[in-house]
Amino acid sequence: QETLEDIDKNEDGFVDQDEYIADMFANEEGGPEPDWVITEREQFSDFRDLNKDGKMDKEEIQHWILPQDYDHALAEARHLVYESDVDKDQKLTKEEILDNWNMFVGSQATNYGEDLTRNHDEL
């Protein structure tokens, strides 16, 4: 609902392609759109507008914001291990975590660092 209210500038209860793009890019110079904007227009048509009516309704917005087939926690955990695992053994040592403390305290996976202050047997 919040995303709809933020992006739906004409207040028709939907997000059309122009509103979707305007949320990411303002073409103030009036020149050609960058390649990434053209790609985002294709993303809107191919993947965001599921029923192909030219706009996203609440259900399509929900699928965009919280896709059912994507595990955010797993993706973030994999990212933290990939970036911090210096010896690439798929295990994090205390040193590897401490060497990358800023990434861990900035991660939603660690509740922005709060979970790191608790005692954990696995550490």
Side-chain angles (χ1 to χ4, degrees):
Q1 184 63 34
E2 184 178 333
T3 299
L4 176 61
E5 290 169 3
D6 287 345
I7 300 175
D8 180 21
K9 299 305 181 195
N10 66 8
E11 299 179 352
D12 66 351
F14 300 95
V15 173
D16 62 35
Q17 188 180 80
D18 290 335
E19 291 169 327
Y20 174 78
I21 296 299
D23 185 56
M24 297 177 272
F25 174 73
N27 194 353
E28 296 171 358
E29 292 102 36
E33 291 181 336
D35 289 343
W36 71 267
V37 174
I38 295 167
T39 300
E40 281 300 323
R41 287 191 183 280
E42 293 169 1
Q43 288 286 317
F44 181 91
S45 298
D46 296 342
F47 301 108
R48 307 286 182 239
D49 180 17
L50 299 173
N51 64 6
K52 307 299 182 205
D53 65 354
K55 55 193 174 190
M56 288 191 293
D57 57 28
K58 288 180 183 180
E59 192 172 300
E60 290 166 321
I61 292 168
Q62 181 177 356
H63 187 269
W64 167 41
I65 301 299
L66 299 167
Q68 299 295 321
D69 54 350
Y70 184 75
D71 187 335
H72 293 278
L74 181 59
E76 179 64 7
R78 285 182 176 158
H79 167 73
L80 291 171
V81 170
Y82 177 81
E83 293 295 330
S84 302
D85 186 18
V86 176
D87 60 8
K88 301 302 178 198
D89 66 352
Q90 297 296 305
K91 298 175 186 172
L92 295 180
T93 64
K94 182 177 180 179
E95 290 74 27
E96 288 172 325
I97 293 170
L98 292 176
D99 287 346
N100 291 288
W101 67 270
N102 55 339
M103 192 176 346
F104 283 88
V105 298
S107 172
Q108 188 175 9
T110 64
N111 197 17
Y112 302 101
E114 187 176 321
D115 291 344
L116 299 176
T117 63
R118 298 188 181 119
N119 288 329
H120 292 277
D121 292 337
E122 64 273 13
L123 298 177

